[in-house]
Amino acid sequence: MRLANKLAPSLFALLATLTASARAEDAPPTREAFAQPVVELSDQDRERFFRGRSLFRQSWVAAPASKETLAGLGPLYNRLACASCHQKNGRGHAPDEPGERMQSMLVRLSVPGANEHGGPKPHPRYGDQLNEEGIPGVPGEGRAEIRWQELRVKLADGTTVSLRKPHMRFVDLAYGPLDKVQTSPRVSPPVFGLGLLEALSDETLEAMAAEAKGDGVKGKVNRVWDAAAGKNVVGRFGLKANAPNVRQQSAGAFLGDLGITSPLFPAENCMPGQTRCRQMPSAGHPELSAQQLDEVEFYLAHLAAPERRNREDAQVRRGETLFAQAGCAQCHRPELKTGDHPRFPALGHRTIAPYTDLLLHDMGPALADHRSDYQANGREWRTPPLWGIGLIGVVNEKTHFLHDGRARNFEEAILWHGGEARTARGRYARFTKDERTALQAFIQSL
Amino acid sequence: MNPILSRRRFLSLMAAGAASATGLAQAATSTAAQTATDGRTPVVVLTGYPDEVVSRFEAAFEKAHPEYRLQMVWRMPHEALPYLRQPHQAGVDVYWHASPRTYAALAKEGALRKLDIDRTGLPDRIGKAQLADPDGYYTVTEMAGYGFIVNTQALKARQLPIPADWTDLADPRYAGLIALPSPAKVGFAPPIVEIVLQAYGWEKGWALWSEIAGNAFLLNQGSTFVTDEVASGRRPIGISIDFFSASAIANGAPLQFVYPRHSGMNPAHIAITAEAPNPDGARAFARFVLSPEGQRILAHPDIRKLPVRPSVYADLPASYFNPFIAARDGVFDFDAEASLPRVGLTTAVFEQMLSAPQADLAALWNRIHKAEAAGIDVTAARAALGKPPLNEADAGEDGLRLAFRNRLEGSVAETVTAAESRWRVNADWQRAVARAVLERKQA
């Protein structure tokens, strides 16, 4: 992304750009653009929102600790806080160099087959994700390193675009070989607008899946295990729509990323052979209380997606038309209506512009992780929402798109599209330079 | 199993470079490789810094020193001392955080080793505050200043001036408009009690605190909560530490931070443990934190601490507050070291005298201000509310100080001591006296 390239050199360039954009816009976006509540909250709800925010930003400690409500980290974990990966509620990034640690990225692991609910089958030694860190006395599981291979693709007008393809390797594996492992490296996605997406009804998703679409685009609903309801339901969250709601997605991340148990997932994330992990004290049963999980859920459900900018700009409007003409909007839906929200009525019956359909699509072999997740096969990914994407550069400094952060700007992300999106990608590749620039300007306005 | 990708194979792939769009598909199949070790030596750092600080130093240090890998152990400030008293100091190499009393205690216990690093370009003092332990066991890595965060638009809308010093906060027009982090409950707040007491003296200081507390809205959580309260306009003034608001301002919030004429510094330190398993790595980390590169990280919009290396300010925006210049005007004459022995005690006094009965206190100050506006002499009521429950000499008594020395930042006492009960009773009595004066004067 061109904006991001401008921002990259230094911190003060970032500030300068912020100042410049402040002059250009009536309501300038700030680096807190992803931290605002979606509705005007009552005093009581604002307190609840802030309590959730505190928990989201909290660096957790290992048991035993003087304040048990903030204890429970590990024994195996990735980072200390939710906000470590979801900085300022935005996107994470991939390491740029091989020796660089994954600060806001993780690697999902599994072996062929399915678990008892139809989800991925955890690796017998390492579980379902590589936990790089361990609390004192417990070895971290190891590290994943990424090396990039530069590739070049040619567009119809002769322009050459450079893409980078990840190669991953594991080092310092502490619990034996990974053997026949399936891996899926993931950059942390933004966490705003989730309550509104949760308020999209099952019927809305199923109707979109059933719609006849052009260009060979299909789209299907994932059906996933709802741990609270004890049954399979429509999946909405996660890069493969493998979580049914914000609450379960959050509880899953507390366990998987921080090693913190909750009422939904009460067992520590230690595999049978991880003896020291299993011997460590727990900070409670569970470690995150139902009230704390409520507060985190409330916070995340009420984080607003930022307002669009420059929507009346001629280039942006042209780009919007091209976005539709190319076929992008078949999956990146510009307008949806929420139904009843199961827990937060204020989020219901709104018209939203998330630029997603929450459906699974075959994205082709280049993006495949060869790892199935409930109904999603190894080539399928959920359409990521594009709202707020134009502010990632301002809020998160680095713009690393797609599931593993391989795309460094919008154009690279588009050019990695394949499978059901192949036709749309082809149209983009045949656009003139002006058309491509206009389309990027539109995405920048989201 | 995924094919193993050797370094040679990887390099050859890198060299291959160009690929057609179709070629991407074949090249993008999973190529996770598994090798033995990256050969980095761990440096274990005990800290209480938030992720914004930890992540950035971690990334920059590991880039500058690929031979080391940082392992961050996060603990709340009051937990650091017991944590480092574990056998072999729990394997910790470095302690890095803003908790001055912990460092003093650790040095006294022999839990630290001399830093033994070159301090060229790092001053030993700012104002009356020490920036390095004279015995060489720990040194300041960054500073944060105390003061007022103000929402200028909200003050303007109420036609109120921007306060310039602590005495201004007693202005009755600010009643209910000052967000005050409760010193006994918010980690960064205890020194603000001492700043006022040192600047105005024991008697006048407590009297001033009583009147400010009467104007205040107490917050039991610190961090960005004061900033939120002020940014929302609900309380246009907040007593805070500069980086919370400086970071909010850098991120776009319409706020201003005022360093009062009597400010104070909250320093963060770094030290190497006596039993550090990796003293060389620990020293490398300490050097990095103090280096120009490390010091510049402090200016990131999400951190906004004050570098301790003066030369670094030349690289920062002109608007960046430079405490070394402000110190020439006496802004940082607060002697933090002198306050350390009794800050636990004064915080506890504040709780009993002002925080716990704050609603009643605010109501009484309101009556006093109204009476004074009407020309009624209620000096006796004013004096009663401002009278501390013990005199300065008693507060200096060793036994009493010792009883409160472990009330470190963020720790909440589970039981109320006999002394605290006495102070509470005394404060209740003083308010009753004030109330009686007001009744007598029909105010």
Side-chain angles (χ1 to χ4, degrees):
Chain A
M1 188 171 64
R2 285 171 309 141
L3 175 63
N5 291 340
K6 280 182 198 163
L7 292 176
S10 79
L11 162 70
F12 302 114
L14 168 74
L15 289 174
T17 308
L18 272 175
T19 315
S21 65
R23 281 195 296 273
E25 299 287 336
D26 290 340
T30 73
R31 296 190 66 240
E32 298 299 333
F34 302 154
Q36 309 306 316
V38 71
V39 285
E40 188 63 34
L41 299 174
S42 66
D43 284 356
Q44 197 182 354
D45 280 347
R46 193 175 54 247
E47 287 298 313
R48 208 170 157 200
F49 182 81
F50 285 156
R51 283 199 300 275
R53 186 184 66 180
S54 287
L55 292 167
F56 194 80
R57 293 179 178 175
Q58 174 67 41
S59 290
W60 294 80
V61 300
S66 65
K67 208 170 182 180
E68 218 166 55
T69 52
L70 301 178
L73 180 75
L76 290 164
Y77 64 98
N78 287 80
R79 301 293 288 168
L80 296 173
C82 302
S84 306
C85 290
H86 305 282
Q87 285 199 359
K88 302 184 96 65
N89 303 328
R91 270 191 85 77
H93 62 269
D96 286 317
E97 293 166 17
E100 205 177 314
R101 71 164 73 205
M102 288 186 172
Q103 283 197 310
S104 47
M105 186 174 189
L106 57 79
V107 183
R108 292 250 186 268
L109 305 172
S110 55
V111 292
N115 69 11
E116 68 271 31
H117 303 303
K121 191 173 180 180
H123 187 279
R125 292 196 185 94
Y126 289 86
D128 58 8
Q129 102 184 24
L130 184 75
N131 289 130
E132 296 196 337
E133 307 291 337
I135 62 171
V138 179
E141 290 183 326
R143 298 181 66 198
E145 286 194 348
I146 286 196
R147 291 169 191 265
W148 300 103
Q149 177 190 3
E150 289 290 332
L151 310 168
R152 284 190 288 278
V153 293
K154 236 177 194 176
L155 306 184
D157 67 359
T159 305
T160 301
V161 180
S162 187
L163 304 180
R164 62 175 189 175
K165 187 173 82 69
H167 296 277
M168 193 167 61
R169 69 164 190 158
F170 294 100
V171 295
D172 292 336
L173 289 174
Y175 299 91
L178 277 163
D179 293 332
K180 291 185 179 172
V181 69
Q182 296 173 326
T183 62
S184 189
R186 310 277 180 91
V187 161
S188 54
V191 294
F192 54 80
L194 303 185
L196 292 169
L197 296 177
E198 194 168 48
L200 293 169
S201 70
D202 291 359
E203 293 73 27
T204 300
L205 268 56
E206 277 155 2
M208 285 190 287
E211 260 177 39
K213 300 177 249 331
D215 301 339
V217 175
K218 297 185 187 100
K220 76 181 185 199
V221 172
N222 203 353
R223 296 200 72 85
V224 304
W225 181 247
D226 183 327
K231 60 179 182 182
N232 279 333
V233 300
V234 167
R236 278 183 177 70
F237 300 107
L239 301 187
K240 295 215 177 205
N242 69 349
N245 49 48
V246 175
R247 191 177 181 79
Q248 185 167 321
Q249 176 73 9
S250 308
F254 264 100
L255 184 68
D257 305 349
L258 300 170
I260 292 170
T261 60
S262 66
L264 276 184
F265 300 114
E268 292 283 5
N269 61 341
C270 306
M271 297 307 287
Q274 294 175 327
T275 315
R276 296 180 84 169
C277 181
R278 298 170 73 84
Q279 289 168 343
M280 285 292 150
S282 177
H285 303 283
E287 292 161 332
L288 186 77
S289 70
Q291 188 190 328
Q292 287 175 310
L293 183 56
D294 282 346
E295 288 166 354
V296 171
E297 178 193 13
F298 186 86
Y299 172 64
L300 293 173
H302 287 83
L303 281 172
E307 289 290 316
R308 276 189 62 191
R309 286 107 23 236
N310 295 326
R311 58 196 312 162
E312 297 308 321
D313 178 90
Q315 190 186 40
V316 167
R317 291 177 66 151
R318 185 174 176 220
E320 187 168 13
T321 306
L322 291 165
F323 186 81
Q325 282 174 2
C328 310
Q330 291 194 91
C331 304
H332 292 288
R333 301 268 178 149
E335 186 176 302
L336 294 173
K337 287 191 171 54
T338 66
D340 290 325
H341 191 286
R343 290 166 69 85
F344 310 120
L347 302 176
H349 305 285
R350 289 162 171 259
T351 300
I352 59 174
Y355 292 87
T356 178
D357 56 7
L358 297 186
L359 300 179
L360 299 171
H361 296 273
D362 180 341
M363 293 303 292
L367 290 177
D369 66 355
H370 310 285
R371 180 178 180 272
S372 58
D373 201 335
Y374 294 97
Q375 311 298 310
N377 66 35
R379 288 165 56 118
E380 288 175 325
W381 297 93
R382 185 196 70 160
T383 312
L386 299 185
W387 55 9
I389 197 168
L391 290 175
I392 295 290
V394 171
V395 175
N396 295 118
E397 299 164 54
K398 288 187 178 179
T399 52
H400 289 180
F401 300 119
L402 298 177
H403 64 278
D404 52 14
R406 68 177 70 191
R408 290 159 292 194
N409 52 48
F410 300 151
E411 182 157 74
E412 288 184 30
I414 294 166
L415 292 172
W416 277 108
H417 280 54
E420 294 174 37
R422 190 175 172 171
T423 307
R425 176 206 176 277
R427 291 196 186 103
Y428 177 85
R430 287 191 297 277
F431 279 165
T432 64
K433 186 170 186 300
D434 281 356
E435 288 169 331
R436 297 198 303 273
T437 306
L439 192 139
Q440 289 169 36
F442 163 67
I443 299 174
Q444 183 68 49
S445 78
L446 297 179
Chain B
M1 181 175 165
N2 292 309
I4 290 180
L5 184 73
S6 71
R7 185 172 172 77
R8 185 173 297 171
R9 167 81 179 127
F10 173 78
L11 290 172
S12 70
L13 274 173
M14 294 287 277
S20 68
T22 348
L24 288 178
Q26 288 161 336
T29 51
S30 179
T31 50
Q34 300 165 28
T35 58
T37 176
D38 68 356
R40 293 172 178 234
T41 320
V43 180
V44 181
V45 178
L46 180 69
T47 186
Y49 274 120
D51 180 72
E52 292 82 4
V53 178
V54 168
S55 289
R56 289 188 173 84
F57 274 93
E58 179 184 70
F61 175 71
E62 289 185 348
K63 192 167 187 175
H65 288 277
E67 70 274 29
Y68 297 122
R69 175 167 165 80
L70 283 183
Q71 286 179 2
M72 294 291 181
V73 178
W74 200 91
R75 285 281 155 181
M76 283 176 277
H78 66 273
E79 289 182 327
L81 208 50
Y83 195 87
L84 290 173
R85 283 175 181 154
Q86 295 179 92
H88 305 295
Q89 300 187 292
V92 170
D93 293 299
V94 176
Y95 179 46
W96 177 49
H97 193 45
S99 183
R101 281 177 286 166
T102 306
Y103 285 89
L106 286 169
K108 203 172 169 187
E109 289 180 9
L112 306 177
R113 67 172 70 195
K114 296 218 177 194
L115 272 172
D116 195 21
I117 56 178
D118 180 10
R119 291 186 45 80
T120 306
L122 296 167
D124 289 336
R125 302 193 80 83
I126 180 168
K128 287 187 180 166
Q130 267 180 9
L131 295 180
D133 170 35
D135 297 326
Y137 287 102
Y138 51 94
T139 190
V140 174
T141 55
E142 49 93 346
M143 303 170 285
Y146 289 94
F148 317 143
I149 176 162
V150 294
N151 184 325
T152 49
Q153 290 166 2
L155 278 180
K156 199 174 172 187
R158 290 178 168 90
Q159 296 182 311
L160 291 172
I162 294 173
D165 208 355
W166 299 93
T167 45
D168 294 343
L169 297 183
D171 189 326
R173 291 177 295 172
Y174 294 138
L177 300 181
I178 300 170
L180 171 65
S182 180
K185 292 173 185 151
V186 176
F188 69 80
I192 63 175
V193 180
E194 281 290 331
I195 288 170
V196 170
L197 295 180
Q198 234 182 64
Y200 300 95
W202 183 262
E203 302 291 337
K204 279 187 185 167
W206 280 113
L208 179 56
W209 260 131
S210 175
E211 203 161 3
I212 295 172
N215 276 347
F217 173 79
L218 282 175
L219 292 171
N220 290 333
Q221 288 173 296
S223 178
T224 55
F225 285 84
V226 180
T227 314
D228 287 331
E229 198 65 19
V230 177
S232 73
R234 287 186 295 276
R235 323 282 161 190
I237 303 168
I239 297 174
S240 186
I241 199 156
D242 55 8
F243 62 88
F244 291 123
S245 53
S247 174
I249 292 163
N251 279 296
L255 300 168
Q256 185 182 325
F257 193 83
V258 176
Y259 292 90
R261 284 189 286 277
H262 304 86
S263 184
M265 279 294 173
N266 190 43
H269 297 83
I270 199 159
I272 302 174
T273 57
E275 294 185 64
N278 185 359
D280 291 341
R283 211 163 280 119
F285 183 67
R287 277 197 202 102
F288 178 81
V289 170
L290 292 164
S291 71
E293 185 187 355
Q295 291 282 294
R296 275 192 290 269
I297 296 173
L298 298 166
H300 187 282
D302 294 345
I303 302 177
R304 287 280 153 153
K305 303 278 185 134
L306 302 173
V308 73
R309 183 177 282 281
S311 63
V312 164
Y313 288 89
D315 303 333
L316 306 185
S319 59
Y320 210 96
F321 179 74
N322 186 334
F324 293 99
I325 293 174
R328 293 177 204 154
D329 299 327
V331 170
F332 296 107
D333 280 353
F334 173 62
D335 186 345
E337 285 77 23
S339 78
L340 286 183
R342 76 172 188 194
V343 67
L345 181 147
T346 47
T347 300
V349 171
F350 196 101
E351 175 68 20
Q352 301 306 326
M353 175 185 167
L354 306 175
S355 296
Q358 197 269 339
D360 190 34
L361 185 74
L364 287 167
W365 274 114
N366 185 32
R367 289 173 67 182
I368 289 173
H369 291 145
K370 278 187 178 160
E372 288 175 342
I376 303 169
D377 178 9
V378 286
T379 310
R382 179 175 269 282
L385 284 192
K387 189 174 169 53
L390 74 172
N391 62 37
E392 189 166 18
D394 290 343
E397 198 257 310
D398 282 347
L400 198 53
R401 284 179 176 188
L402 280 174
F404 294 94
R405 73 171 178 181
N406 289 329
R407 297 270 181 95
L408 286 169
E409 294 88 344
S411 66
V412 177
E414 284 172 10
T415 51
V416 174
T417 62
E420 285 168 294
S421 297
R422 280 200 307 277
W423 301 337
R424 181 66 166 272
V425 169
N426 188 290
D428 290 347
W429 173 256
Q430 295 299 341
R431 291 199 314 284
V433 169
R435 193 173 290 111
V437 172
L438 291 165
E439 300 294 336
R440 201 166 57 243
K441 300 269 187 171
Q442 296 183 327

